[in-house]
Amino acid sequence: MIKKTHEERKPEKRIPVRPRRKQEQTKRHYPQQKTYKKTYSKVGAGKVRIIPIGGVEEIGRNMTVVEYGDDIVVIDAGLQFPEEETPGIDFIIPNTKYLEAKKDKIRGLIISHGHLDHVGAIPYLIDKLGNPTIYATKLTKAIILKRQEEFPHGPKLDVQEITSASRIRMGKSLSAKFFDITHTIPDAIGIIIETPLGNVIYPGDFKIEVDAKGKPENIEPYEKLGKEKNLVLLMESTNVEMPGFSMSEKTVQENLKRIFTATKGRIIVGTFSSQIERIIEMLKIAESLGRKVFIDGYSMKTNIEIAKELKLFVPKKDTLVPIDKIDDYPPEKILAICTGAQGEKNASMMRIANKKHKYIRIRPDDTIILSSSVIPGNEKSIQNLKDNLARQGARIIHNKTEDIHASGHAYSEELKMMIKMIKPRFFIPIHGHYFRLKTNADLAESIGIPKENIIAPMANGIIIETDGKTIQPTKETVPANYVMVDGLGVGDVQEVVLRDRQMLSQDGIFVMITVIDSQTGKVKNSPDIISRGFIYLRESQDILKQTRYLIRKTVEEATGKMHPVNIDYVKTLLRERIAKFLFQKTKRRPMVLPVIIEV
Amino acid sequence: MIKKTHEERKPEKRIPVRPRRKQEQTKRHYPQQKTYKKTYSKVGAGKVRIIPIGGVEEIGRNMTVVEYGDDIVVIDAGLQFPEEETPGIDFIIPNTKYLEAKKDKIRGLIISHGHLDHVGAIPYLIDKLGNPTIYATKLTKAIILKRQEEFPHGPKLDVQEITSASRIRMGKSLSAKFFDITHTIPDAIGIIIETPLGNVIYPGDFKIEVDAKGKPENIEPYEKLGKEKNLVLLMESTNVEMPGFSMSEKTVQENLKRIFTATKGRIIVGTFSSQIERIIEMLKIAESLGRKVFIDGYSMKTNIEIAKELKLFVPKKDTLVPIDKIDDYPPEKILAICTGAQGEKNASMMRIANKKHKYIRIRPDDTIILSSSVIPGNEKSIQNLKDNLARQGARIIHNKTEDIHASGHAYSEELKMMIKMIKPRFFIPIHGHYFRLKTNADLAESIGIPKENIIAPMANGIIIETDGKTIQPTKETVPANYVMVDGLGVGDVQEVVLRDRQMLSQDGIFVMITVIDSQTGKVKNSPDIISRGFIYLRESQDILKQTRYLIRKTVEEATGKMHPVNIDYVKTLLRERIAKFLFQKTKRRPMVLPVIIEV
């Protein structure tokens, strides 16, 4: 479920839910800008090397390396949204130092599907990889190219279109073939890297749909694949903690159809723009009911555009109507599909809720359908969204009241089914935090994969090697720390900058500027104080006055005995005294910065 | 579920999960420090006035006023934990301006139970209410007094102990009686304010336990109460969105017993210290299995202490053993009960996970039980907790894998049951955001309360009045905005301070200090730059150099034509130019603050 945000076509700004508490920090180590060595060991002779570069200590920034002899294949290049330890950061992407050092060996970057946690890092890192050929299916390719347009200074991408029937030679010893997979976006594929030791199989994100009788659907490719020599299965862990089977997307679509049919007034749906399959289905339902469809939100419009261009669906003439015409139609003829079901500021749904939408004002006979899950961390913004919509009298249907959202990621029974069908010799859980990976490893063991044939990666950047008989991590690791994108900077934000942002957000900053006479050490004029986020200065004249007095006293006591004046000493003294004084007065700890100017 | 945090005895520091995104803010208006008028209208003759002062736009800081003639009864005085819009804040408490203006009419403060969202604000506001008598049951009283010890400069509280059999005269026209209620803490009571127009009933937080046959338990008091003249029911809305019945606490206790019995090694349980009933039950199970119990965590120890003092349970001699003796016992004799199941930093469980606990190191044969829900916003810290524990090899049981946690708040069917038993004339949903209140109002209507007899408060501070025949909000409202506690300050943090903290957390601060010759307007020396949370200064010498150059140029161009120098003009110009320059260079927007010193 968490994954959903990453599946957005264009990252909407996300709204945090909890303020940082004083002095708090969850334990996480992400060494920044270490000087890594520039060379790495060669793969052991006759061995297949697999490196999860991203996606095994987090949900997001997926990237996996498969290497044999002189050939490297890279799978996926996703981004991750920022975390509590990374305030102000735009995205986090995989660290490609290892690949940069070996870029002449890269035979291609294969992308499993078009969601951001699989394609989102391409614009930031493709250059560093030597701009290798990207292999992607039709829709995935269109999404990659569309996104690249937002980076006008980026390189021209070489994207080769593939289908599940393709077979691509990847250097001397590797080749790739593919299989269809069910996810929430069309054209998702599983990837098979053929090595001399057998297949390395990467289904990517998937789920297994089950029909009304409980029979799994579209599993023939996996069963067929199960007959081959399958060396390693790299399998996602997103929903491994969920028992049973995930809800079928068909159930969701049937429920939406039922609700649409029973509704009289306007229908306004908020959902993830990445849910392209569901959006297409809603378009079809609307056509069958004679409703016009109004698409709103940048990412939603882009995705519909791409889907139309690729003829993933062919709408009737006049089905799609621009949003500014919405008032030309009677309520029972209207279906609006909008972004912002997570309460993202400025997204369509939030503008509607806040009465700031240019064309949509809620009426009491409107039905609003939030066809999405709650991404952890967004509870508060979704609460605000629902509150503000409800205040205006609309009926609100959400995924707690009706089955109108299904995850695109396999639950534990589906995962087991996949392992049983593929019958791999070795099993490596990926995509998820350690506890999920561990749970996935236990799952595989529970259905017969020997413990010694399972590797649950302890961290991004571990090197796993197999000779076909055994599998283990080597002692070497490759750089895999966070690479942060902040504005124009990629990888330049240091931990110290983030720590400062966290500190500043707690009790603010207190800068004091003191001008002293370099001859006498006396303070000239009254010290200047600049403070933000600490106390409300206008109502704190007393404390400011006392602080100025204390600054002057501290400085002059120190400089009085000093010839020449040791500015660093005075500053340290000043910082300590004033920080202590302010804490006594307020029990708050602003960042205290003394500036001394000698004239 | 969200409520659970508030139920902690001592507020553990909570860990936020999502960083604030640039420029973002969910819509919320909390006017700060408005000058409110000092007088308010009298209650209409023969009318009962009810004011939800806190708890109807949030979960937390519950406080409700009941007024008739010259008498006021205040119910509960809770705190709320900070939100994303309030970084660095410790707590949020109710605004008591209305009560301060009428404090001579306050006949008492009645507390429904000992959780923080009902008692937590007492130390901060009791003085302002004129230190009225507090009425509370035995355990609640003990919790209030224990907490007050943390405020040595606070007033001596006048707490009168009550039981569900008490009846208290509250002034000329009101009186209070009580009824037993089931919640997750012992000694919780429902409150009945008897008015000349009938009963105002406030069950507080409650759930209805259902036995194995589906028969509700302990509902006789409600059925009996249903025969009286019940004017208004004020009912909580926390879990109104949940269908059916909540899980029984007995189910949880049975599952814990089963797991404890089947476990061979040490058992380490993390749970909310506020779950006093469950903790007592675990102690009993441990005794029956011959395990010693090691309590760890400040709030957990305090609560056990209080429970022991009040003889809520009488442990066998030697059942409770200090944590530093844990290694003196074999694994199968050990049950540790710890705080920190939400991954709160420094809480017991997190110290164990991070290998910083003084006495507990995880071993592979340990079983860790997280008997708690995930409070929205804590997903990430709980993920870290589970990851770090799993890395050390322990078996982890949590509420997704086993039914080992139940909410203390009624689900929709329980809420319906309560309404049907009480049979109130009027219904006011409380405790929850607007959407929950609305859902609760709809629920009441669905079981026969006429729409015009239901008030779903639009906001804290609305005045609701009834003459016994009709009920409606008056046009007047009372101050109900957030009062924030930050360090020693109560209510002194302005919105501008919070906005600054949010801004600072995004792109940091950039202060430039320029000394100019007041005679010539020339810049003396190189401008000083102080920046935090923006870019890593050590690796940004180029940009600093260019900025210094631009500062000097801007200042001298401006002052060159000026006699005398208009400092404010120069500062504005400088702020604009430098902000623009830095944005061009980095696409980041630090807070830019120019300081000009004339010598």
Side-chain angles (χ1 to χ4, degrees):
Chain A
M1 284 194 318
I2 301 173
K3 221 44 173 310
K4 282 294 167 297
T5 316
H6 299 287
E7 294 168 3
E8 287 291 304
R9 170 64 186 81
K10 175 166 195 289
E12 312 276 351
K13 295 288 188 186
R14 287 158 98 210
I15 295 165
V17 147
R18 193 66 48 75
R20 168 154 289 278
R21 303 279 310 170
K22 277 168 193 166
Q23 313 298 343
E24 240 171 58
Q25 203 169 343
T26 48
K27 202 174 167 61
R28 177 112 200 187
H29 37 86
Y30 39 103
Q32 281 295 316
Q33 299 276 355
K34 261 192 197 167
T35 311
Y36 292 106
K37 57 181 178 178
K38 289 282 159 46
T39 58
Y40 301 92
S41 69
K42 288 191 74 167
V43 189
K47 287 188 176 176
V48 170
R49 174 178 282 192
I50 294 170
I51 311 172
I53 283 198
V56 302
E57 288 180 277
E58 60 263 316
I59 297 272
R61 66 169 194 137
N62 296 305
M63 177 175 263
T64 307
V65 170
V66 180
E67 187 172 4
Y68 184 93
D70 275 336
D71 300 319
I72 289 180
V73 176
V74 186
I75 300 176
D76 285 337
L79 59 74
Q80 184 192 347
F81 285 92
E83 306 183 328
E84 83 261 45
E85 302 94 342
T86 60
I89 291 297
D90 300 329
F91 310 114
I92 302 162
I93 61 174
N95 187 318
T96 49
K97 285 274 187 299
Y98 177 79
L99 291 170
E100 289 162 38
K102 291 195 174 195
K103 68 179 164 191
D104 56 312
K105 294 185 161 66
I106 299 175
R107 308 301 166 215
L109 167 62
I110 308 178
I111 304 293
S112 64
H113 64 280
H115 284 156
L116 277 182
D117 53 339
H118 295 258
V119 305
I122 294 175
Y124 301 106
L125 53 71
I126 196 72
D127 241 354
K128 293 189 207 159
L129 303 188
N131 208 8
T133 301
I134 299 170
Y135 297 93
T137 54
K138 200 170 179 180
L139 174 62
T140 309
K141 177 183 173 184
I143 288 172
I144 292 168
L145 292 178
K146 190 89 188 172
R147 183 169 156 82
Q148 195 69 13
E149 288 172 13
E150 294 166 26
F151 297 80
H153 302 302
K156 193 177 166 334
L157 300 182
D158 168 25
V159 189
Q160 296 254 356
E161 195 173 311
I162 51 170
T163 71
S164 58
S166 304
R167 187 159 180 279
I168 315 278
R169 189 86 228 153
M170 312 286 283
K172 220 170 70 182
S173 49
L174 301 176
S175 58
K177 50 185 194 177
F178 312 94
F179 54 106
D180 290 315
I181 212 93
T182 304
H183 190 39
T184 55
I185 183 170
D187 253 13
I189 47 157
I191 298 163
I192 303 160
I193 307 297
E194 296 175 304
T195 79
L197 304 183
N199 294 331
V200 175
I201 298 173
Y202 176 98
D205 293 349
F206 74 96
K207 68 184 296 185
I208 295 175
E209 290 273 301
V210 171
D211 72 11
K213 288 174 191 157
K215 202 174 150 274
E217 296 180 326
N218 304 320
I219 55 171
E220 300 75 22
Y222 320 144
E223 285 177 330
K224 199 177 137 223
L225 181 55
K227 294 182 183 124
E228 300 190 17
K229 187 184 176 191
N230 296 326
L231 184 71
V232 178
L233 173 61
L234 290 149
M235 195 171 74
E236 70 147 322
S237 313
T238 315
N239 275 338
V240 67
E241 291 179 88
M242 307 298 277
F245 286 85
S246 64
M247 188 191 301
S248 163
E249 182 63 26
K250 254 182 296 186
T251 306
V252 170
Q253 293 170 359
E254 280 160 18
N255 286 332
L256 287 174
K257 185 163 190 175
R258 178 175 49 75
I259 295 166
F260 283 17
T261 308
T263 299
K264 294 269 187 306
R266 300 194 298 186
I267 299 171
I268 301 168
V269 176
T271 192
F272 302 109
S273 61
S274 57
Q275 292 277 353
I276 298 185
E277 302 221 333
R278 190 178 303 160
I279 295 165
I280 292 174
E281 191 59 30
M282 286 194 281
L283 280 159
K284 290 180 189 165
I285 301 171
E287 286 188 338
S288 76
L289 297 173
R291 283 189 187 251
K292 303 294 173 192
V293 180
F294 303 81
I295 301 288
D296 200 42
Y298 175 84
S299 55
M300 194 69 83
K301 278 192 275 193
T302 310
N303 282 0
I304 293 283
E305 205 90 331
I306 293 173
K308 254 173 63 184
E309 270 168 34
L310 302 185
K311 297 205 181 356
L312 293 178
F313 79 111
V314 183
K316 286 183 200 163
K317 198 172 154 281
D318 300 340
T319 293
L320 288 163
V321 182
I323 190 85
D324 58 342
K325 298 280 182 294
I326 194 164
D327 284 338
D328 298 351
Y329 294 82
E332 69 276 11
K333 293 286 172 209
I334 292 172
L335 167 65
I337 305 178
C338 305
T339 54
Q342 295 295 305
E344 302 96 327
K345 172 137 199 240
N346 295 329
S348 173
M349 215 66 201
M350 202 62 173
R351 280 183 283 126
I352 294 174
N354 292 340
K355 302 186 187 175
K356 285 187 180 159
H357 197 284
K358 211 166 162 192
Y359 303 109
I360 302 180
R361 281 287 170 286
I362 291 301
R363 311 171 196 162
D365 64 333
D366 285 342
T367 295
I368 292 165
I369 300 175
L370 300 176
S371 175
S372 58
S373 55
V374 176
I375 295 173
N378 290 351
E379 291 80 5
K380 181 67 197 299
S381 55
I382 295 174
Q383 185 70 56
N384 276 341
L385 179 72
K386 289 196 291 183
D387 286 353
N388 289 343
L389 291 169
R391 278 178 214 275
Q392 297 167 61
R395 180 170 70 130
I396 298 171
I397 299 173
H398 56 95
N399 75 329
K400 264 191 206 162
T401 50
E402 295 262 11
D403 286 341
I404 51 171
H405 180 73
S407 171
H409 301 274
Y411 282 21
S412 57
E413 289 305 319
E414 296 157 73
L415 295 170
K416 279 187 200 166
M417 205 180 264
M418 182 64 95
I419 300 171
K420 284 180 185 166
M421 289 186 289
I422 301 289
K423 301 184 200 77
R425 183 174 179 96
F426 302 117
F427 180 76
I428 304 177
I430 53 171
H431 299 188
H433 299 84
Y434 181 76
F435 189 71
R436 285 197 177 91
L437 304 181
K438 176 72 169 58
T439 308
N440 209 355
D442 292 346
L443 187 107
E445 199 186 338
S446 78
I447 55 169
I449 307 275
K451 194 169 185 143
E452 63 275 18
N453 287 2
I454 300 171
I455 303 262
M458 289 296 285
N460 290 310
I462 65 162
I463 295 178
I464 302 164
E465 282 193 358
T466 173
D467 57 4
K469 292 183 198 76
T470 62
I471 192 164
Q472 55 261 318
T474 68
K475 280 180 190 143
E476 194 184 10
T477 59
V478 313
N481 56 300
Y482 279 11
V483 174
M484 286 177 255
V485 178
D486 186 10
L488 290 183
V490 177
D492 71 329
V493 172
Q494 306 288 321
E495 208 174 344
V496 61
V497 172
L498 296 179
R499 258 203 319 268
D500 284 347
R501 288 182 187 172
Q502 291 172 356
M503 268 197 76
L504 289 168
S505 77
Q506 289 311 302
D507 287 330
I509 191 165
F510 193 91
V511 184
M512 44 210 182
I513 300 143
T514 314
V515 182
I516 61 171
D517 185 314
S518 56
Q519 298 304 313
T520 64
K522 289 275 178 206
V523 175
K524 301 186 74 163
N525 314 326
S526 178
D528 270 313
I529 288 174
I530 294 190
S531 176
R532 291 289 186 279
F534 166 48
I535 49 174
Y536 189 48
L537 295 183
R538 286 199 196 165
E539 292 181 2
S540 313
Q541 290 309 322
D542 260 12
I543 202 170
L544 291 182
K545 211 173 133 187
Q546 293 170 34
T547 309
R548 283 202 189 88
Y549 172 78
L550 187 60
I551 294 171
R552 180 184 286 269
K553 186 158 163 275
T554 305
V555 171
E556 293 186 351
E557 274 177 19
T559 57
K561 300 165 231 149
M562 246 181 223
H563 298 287
V565 174
N566 179 341
I567 292 290
D568 283 342
Y569 171 79
V570 179
K571 276 163 80 173
T572 305
L573 191 69
L574 210 46
R575 182 183 294 117
E576 281 168 10
R577 287 247 185 109
I578 299 301
K580 195 174 158 195
F581 173 74
L582 294 177
F583 182 72
Q584 276 171 352
K585 285 285 172 186
T586 65
K587 289 275 182 286
R588 297 177 200 170
R589 297 187 190 280
M591 196 181 275
V592 174
L593 300 177
V595 181
I596 293 179
I597 293 171
E598 290 178 279
V599 292
Chain B
M1 284 190 325
I2 301 173
K3 218 54 171 304
K4 282 295 168 296
T5 316
H6 298 287
E7 294 167 4
E8 288 292 302
R9 171 63 186 83
K10 175 166 194 287
E12 312 276 351
K13 295 288 188 186
R14 287 157 98 211
I15 295 163
V17 146
R18 192 66 49 74
R20 167 154 289 276
R21 302 279 310 169
K22 278 169 191 164
Q23 313 299 342
E24 241 170 56
Q25 201 168 345
T26 48
K27 203 175 167 59
R28 177 111 200 187
H29 36 87
Y30 40 102
Q32 281 296 316
Q33 299 277 355
K34 263 193 194 164
T35 312
Y36 293 105
K37 57 184 178 176
K38 290 278 159 49
T39 59
Y40 301 91
S41 69
K42 289 191 72 167
V43 188
K47 287 186 176 175
V48 171
R49 175 178 281 191
I50 294 170
I51 310 172
I53 283 198
V56 302
E57 289 180 277
E58 61 261 318
I59 299 271
R61 66 169 194 136
N62 296 305
M63 177 176 263
T64 307
V65 170
V66 180
E67 188 172 5
Y68 184 93
D70 274 337
D71 299 320
I72 289 179
V73 175
V74 185
I75 300 176
D76 285 338
L79 60 74
Q80 185 191 346
F81 284 92
E83 306 184 327
E84 83 261 45
E85 302 94 340
T86 60
I89 292 296
D90 300 329
F91 311 114
I92 303 162
I93 60 173
N95 187 318
T96 48
K97 285 273 187 301
Y98 177 80
L99 291 170
E100 290 163 36
K102 292 194 174 195
K103 67 180 165 190
D104 56 312
K105 295 187 160 66
I106 299 175
R107 308 301 166 217
L109 166 62
I110 307 177
I111 304 294
S112 63
H113 64 280
H115 285 155
L116 276 183
D117 54 339
H118 295 259
V119 305
I122 293 174
Y124 300 106
L125 54 71
I126 197 72
D127 241 354
K128 294 189 206 159
L129 303 189
N131 209 7
T133 301
I134 299 171
Y135 297 93
T137 54
K138 198 170 178 179
L139 174 62
T140 310
K141 178 181 172 184
I143 288 172
I144 292 168
L145 292 178
K146 191 89 186 172
R147 183 169 157 82
Q148 195 69 13
E149 288 172 14
E150 293 166 27
F151 297 81
H153 302 301
K156 193 176 167 335
L157 300 182
D158 167 24
V159 189
Q160 296 255 355
E161 195 173 311
I162 51 171
T163 72
S164 59
S166 304
R167 187 158 180 278
I168 315 278
R169 188 86 227 154
M170 312 287 282
K172 220 171 70 184
S173 49
L174 300 176
S175 58
K177 51 186 194 176
F178 312 95
F179 54 106
D180 290 316
I181 213 90
T182 305
H183 190 40
T184 55
I185 182 170
D187 253 13
I189 47 156
I191 298 163
I192 302 160
I193 308 298
E194 295 175 303
T195 80
L197 304 183
N199 293 333
V200 175
I201 298 172
Y202 176 98
D205 294 349
F206 74 96
K207 68 183 298 184
I208 295 174
E209 290 272 302
V210 171
D211 71 12
K213 288 174 190 157
K215 200 173 150 276
E217 296 180 326
N218 304 321
I219 56 169
E220 300 74 22
Y222 320 143
E223 285 176 330
K224 197 175 140 226
L225 182 54
K227 294 185 183 120
E228 299 190 17
K229 187 182 175 191
N230 296 326
L231 184 71
V232 177
L233 173 60
L234 291 149
M235 195 171 74
E236 70 146 323
S237 312
T238 315
N239 275 338
V240 68
E241 292 179 87
M242 306 299 277
F245 287 84
S246 63
M247 188 193 299
S248 163
E249 181 64 24
K250 254 182 299 189
T251 305
V252 170
Q253 293 170 359
E254 280 160 16
N255 286 333
L256 288 173
K257 185 165 189 174
R258 178 176 49 76
I259 296 166
F260 282 18
T261 308
T263 300
K264 295 268 186 307
R266 299 193 299 184
I267 300 172
I268 301 168
V269 176
T271 192
F272 302 109
S273 61
S274 58
Q275 293 277 355
I276 298 184
E277 302 220 332
R278 191 178 304 158
I279 296 165
I280 292 174
E281 191 59 31
M282 287 194 282
L283 280 159
K284 290 180 187 164
I285 300 171
E287 286 188 338
S288 76
L289 297 172
R291 281 187 187 253
K292 303 294 173 193
V293 180
F294 303 81
I295 301 290
D296 200 42
Y298 175 84
S299 56
M300 195 70 84
K301 278 191 274 193
T302 311
N303 282 358
I304 293 284
E305 204 88 333
I306 293 173
K308 255 173 62 186
E309 270 168 35
L310 302 186
K311 297 202 178 4
L312 293 178
F313 79 111
V314 183
K316 287 183 200 163
K317 197 171 155 283
D318 299 340
T319 293
L320 288 163
V321 183
I323 191 83
D324 58 341
K325 298 280 182 293
I326 194 163
D327 284 338
D328 297 351
Y329 295 82
E332 69 276 10
K333 292 286 172 209
I334 291 171
L335 167 66
I337 305 179
C338 305
T339 55
Q342 295 294 306
E344 302 96 326
K345 172 137 201 239
N346 295 328
S348 173
M349 214 67 201
M350 201 63 172
R351 279 182 283 126
I352 295 174
N354 292 341
K355 303 184 186 176
K356 287 186 180 160
H357 196 284
K358 211 164 162 192
Y359 304 107
I360 302 181
R361 281 286 172 286
I362 292 300
R363 313 172 196 161
D365 63 334
D366 286 341
T367 295
I368 291 164
I369 301 175
L370 300 176
S371 176
S372 59
S373 55
V374 176
I375 294 172
N378 290 350
E379 290 81 4
K380 181 68 196 300
S381 55
I382 294 173
Q383 185 69 54
N384 277 341
L385 178 73
K386 289 197 292 185
D387 286 353
N388 289 343
L389 291 169
R391 279 177 213 277
Q392 296 167 62
R395 179 170 71 131
I396 298 171
I397 298 173
H398 56 94
N399 75 328
K400 265 191 205 160
T401 49
E402 296 262 11
D403 287 340
I404 50 170
H405 180 73
S407 171
H409 300 275
Y411 283 20
S412 57
E413 289 304 318
E414 295 158 73
L415 294 171
K416 280 187 201 168
M417 205 180 264
M418 182 63 95
I419 300 172
K420 284 180 185 167
M421 288 187 288
I422 301 289
K423 302 185 199 75
R425 182 174 180 96
F426 302 116
F427 180 75
I428 305 175
I430 52 171
H431 298 186
H433 300 84
Y434 181 76
F435 189 72
R436 285 196 177 92
L437 304 182
K438 176 72 170 59
T439 308
N440 210 354
D442 292 347
L443 186 106
E445 200 186 336
S446 78
I447 55 169
I449 306 275
K451 193 168 186 143
E452 63 274 18
N453 287 2
I454 300 171
I455 303 261
M458 289 295 287
N460 290 310
I462 65 162
I463 296 178
I464 301 165
E465 282 194 357
T466 174
D467 58 4
K469 294 184 195 76
T470 62
I471 192 164
Q472 54 260 318
T474 67
K475 281 178 187 142
E476 195 185 9
T477 59
V478 313
N481 57 300
Y482 280 10
V483 173
M484 287 176 256
V485 178
D486 186 10
L488 289 184
V490 177
D492 71 329
V493 172
Q494 305 289 319
E495 208 175 343
V496 61
V497 172
L498 297 179
R499 258 204 317 269
D500 284 347
R501 287 181 188 173
Q502 291 172 356
M503 268 196 75
L504 290 168
S505 77
Q506 290 311 301
D507 287 330
I509 192 166
F510 194 90
V511 184
M512 43 211 183
I513 300 143
T514 314
V515 181
I516 62 171
D517 185 314
S518 56
Q519 298 301 314
T520 63
K522 289 276 178 206
V523 174
K524 300 187 76 160
N525 314 327
S526 178
D528 269 312
I529 288 173
I530 294 190
S531 177
R532 290 291 187 278
F534 166 49
I535 49 175
Y536 190 48
L537 294 182
R538 284 198 197 166
E539 292 182 2
S540 313
Q541 291 308 321
D542 261 11
I543 201 170
L544 291 182
K545 210 173 134 189
Q546 292 170 35
T547 308
R548 282 203 189 89
Y549 173 77
L550 187 61
I551 293 170
R552 180 184 286 269
K553 187 159 162 272
T554 304
V555 170
E556 293 188 350
E557 275 177 20
T559 56
K561 299 164 231 152
M562 248 181 220
H563 299 287
V565 174
N566 178 343
I567 292 288
D568 284 341
Y569 171 80
V570 178
K571 277 164 78 172
T572 305
L573 191 70
L574 209 48
R575 183 183 294 115
E576 283 169 9
R577 287 246 185 110
I578 300 300
K580 195 175 157 196
F581 172 76
L582 295 176
F583 182 73
Q584 276 171 353
K585 286 284 172 188
T586 64
K587 290 273 182 288
R588 297 177 202 170
R589 297 188 189 281
M591 197 182 274
V592 174
L593 300 177
V595 180
I596 293 180
I597 293 171
E598 291 178 279
V599 290

